[in-house]
Amino acid sequence: MIRSFIAAALMAALAAPLGAQTVDQDVKCAVASNFFMKEEKDPGGQQLAKAASFYYLGRLDTRLSVQQLNAALLAQGRTMKTAELAPTMTACASRLANKVKALQVSAGPAPKPGAPKTPTPKAK
């Protein structure tokens, strides 16, 4: 099962769909999720914002140096209007949820609690 999850994650990471997000879109998502991680009062909303923050910062980590990332986050943070934050966060959380669902579908059903573990073949 873990192999199918890893394979699905690799396929998702290597696939370049037509609607792939740009660096700028990922920066906007990182800024919005960081804002809601600090400002959201609902624990569930805070948890979603935290997951989104990690997800989008992880996406940016592979495409920008630390200096570029810091500069992009500061620049976007200065230009984003407060009214933009909620719609941006909604769109970013939706994209994150779609990625999670795609991975869950490709990984197959989760084992039931108490079910015996499938032995993993040993490498030769």
Side-chain angles (χ1 to χ4, degrees):
M1 174 142 135
I2 192 79
R3 284 185 180 173
S4 61
F5 180 77
I6 292 170
L10 285 173
M11 287 177 16
L14 296 175
L18 291 174
Q21 273 189 254
T22 65
V23 169
D24 187 51
Q25 289 169 320
D26 283 347
V27 170
K28 285 181 181 182
C29 288
V31 168
S33 60
N34 279 336
F35 174 82
F36 282 102
M37 196 167 63
K38 295 174 186 168
E39 299 298 322
E40 179 63 46
K41 303 297 182 226
D42 175 56
Q46 274 185 336
Q47 193 65 27
L48 175 62
K50 185 184 270 187
S53 179
F54 291 145
Y55 175 74
Y56 287 105
L57 288 173
R59 286 177 52 93
L60 290 164
D61 181 56
T62 63
R63 300 190 279 176
L64 299 175
S65 69
V66 172
Q67 294 83 7
Q68 291 171 321
L69 177 58
N70 286 336
L73 290 171
L74 286 172
Q76 189 63 57
R78 288 184 190 121
T79 60
M80 266 185 107
K81 306 222 180 323
T82 306
E84 293 177 71
L85 290 168
T88 299
M89 185 65 207
T90 300
C92 297
S94 176
R95 283 192 288 275
L96 174 58
N98 288 338
K99 292 289 184 184
V100 169
K101 285 178 191 171
L103 285 172
Q104 287 172 338
V105 166
S106 62
K112 294 181 181 173
K117 292 183 179 180
T118 306
T120 305
K122 294 184 180 182
K124 295 182 181 183

